[in-house]
Amino acid sequence: MEAFANTNIKLVVGIGTESIPLLASSSTAAQAWVQSNIAAYVPGTQITALAVGNEVFTTSPQMASQLVPAMVNIHTALVNLKLDYIKVSTPHNLQVLQKSFPPSSGAFRANITNEVKSLLAFLSATSSPIMVNFYPYFAYRDDPKNVSLNYSLFQPNTGVTDVNTGLHYNNMLDAQLDSVYSAMERFGYHNIPVLISETGWPSSGDPTEIAVSATNAQIYNQNLIKYVTSNKGTPLRPSTSVDAYIFALFNENMKPGPGSERFFGLFNPDKSIVYNLGIVTNTYPPISATPPYTSPISPTPPVVYPPPQPSLPPPVYSPPVPPANIYPTPPTPPVLTPSPPYYAPVQSGNPGKTWCVAKPGSGESEVANALNFACGEGGADCGEIQAGGACYSPNTVLSHASFAFNTYYQKMGRNYWNCYFGGTSVITITDPSYSGCRFH
């Protein structure tokens, strides 16, 4: 957040899906989150919207009923701080639609009707956009016999006509947008804008995945920019502008799933460029130059990218543990945990003092990952759990993690979000110190 201060770059700030239950149940937690994560950085950092969770209705349906209450609490917190020019929304994928073709038949899934109606009422009342992640690539991949590649890439093609309205579509994104507009209109909402919270095209993938190439990715995103800046709107909503966020800045070489999931980035993990979309300005051709691609486009074999492993500092923690990657830390300023912290039972009194220890029963590999983070990137002083240190024995991952977690927790100010560690830790009011090993 600080890095974007005074850059004139506008940000949409995400709130993790795991935070929704707490934010829905506690207006105090929502106020604290906004104060720490938003108010502390404006107006220097320009924040235009908050995205609460991601694809909650389809990927975390158990939280669907809590989503809008969490958004209401966040919005109320913004109002209290006179920051309600910042909009509150939540991204969806197109699986929230039961029908999307033809576009005029767009309709939300019946099993989320109540939740969608509540969401649309909130968005309408607060003049906020509905955020949707649109991927014409997936529509083409899943049905290449009936979906044209050029139609998906904004390239010249014969197009598709909606038999209900007679409207003609020249690209897949227009059709997907209008299916969302149509779905909202079925519930009586005609003026909620759509924000394209994610869209992109993979530059590589598995050998069996079609049309994944840097050429196609560049064509799609280059044409997307032209599409957005033209402000032409869609056949159903002409002259209606729409903003879009390209997914993603970096390839995600550790992401699970099909190979294409790891290759939506403009840059590789080592910061080398995949293809130039204009971010590297010293090599980008002038606007008047001819784009480095022609139509029509044929699918090209994927380029297998062997992502180089980033160089990491030598690990601080030396006792043998299962191999693990550095545990990803919550961003600073902190992100709230999904529920109020679990407090271990009291065994001896020490009013006002708390410690953070490893949670019994946690998976050893998960604990090891978190331990490596705390002693490495987290900056905890783990000298006492090195061989010969006062807290080296017992020489177990769980025992060493407890010391490291607590050192990090105390260093960061004993906020309960500093004792998350991916759910492998708990806060206790019982001093965990033992025979010569002092937990501060």
Side-chain angles (χ1 to χ4, degrees), residues 137 200-205 210-214 216-217 259-261 263-265 275:
Y137 164 72
W201 195 283
S203 61
S204 186
I210 60 174
V212 290
S213 70
N216 286 347
S260 58
E261 290 286 342
F263 294 99
F264 276 85
Y275 57 91

Side-chain angles (χ1 to χ4, degrees), residues 72-148:
V72 169
N73 282 343
I74 289 292
H75 175 72
T76 301
L78 291 169
V79 171
N80 292 340
L81 294 168
K82 296 181 171 56
L83 298 175
D84 49 309
Y85 62 86
I86 298 173
K87 303 303 180 182
V88 179
S89 189
T90 181
H92 309 278
N93 58 31
L94 275 183
Q95 293 175 7
V96 296
L97 298 185
Q98 190 164 324
K99 288 191 66 177
S100 61
F101 184 82
S104 60
S105 298
F108 290 106
R109 287 166 41 195
N111 65 325
I112 56 173
T113 295
N114 291 337
E115 290 83 359
V116 169
K117 285 183 175 179
S118 295
L119 173 65
L120 296 179
F122 170 83
L123 297 177
S124 179
T126 59
S127 301
S128 299
I130 184 170
M131 296 180 174
V132 184
N133 301 334
F134 293 98
Y135 285 96
Y137 164 72
F138 292 125
Y140 170 72
R141 182 199 65 182
D142 295 342
D143 192 12
K145 291 183 179 180
N146 295 308
V147 177
S148 158

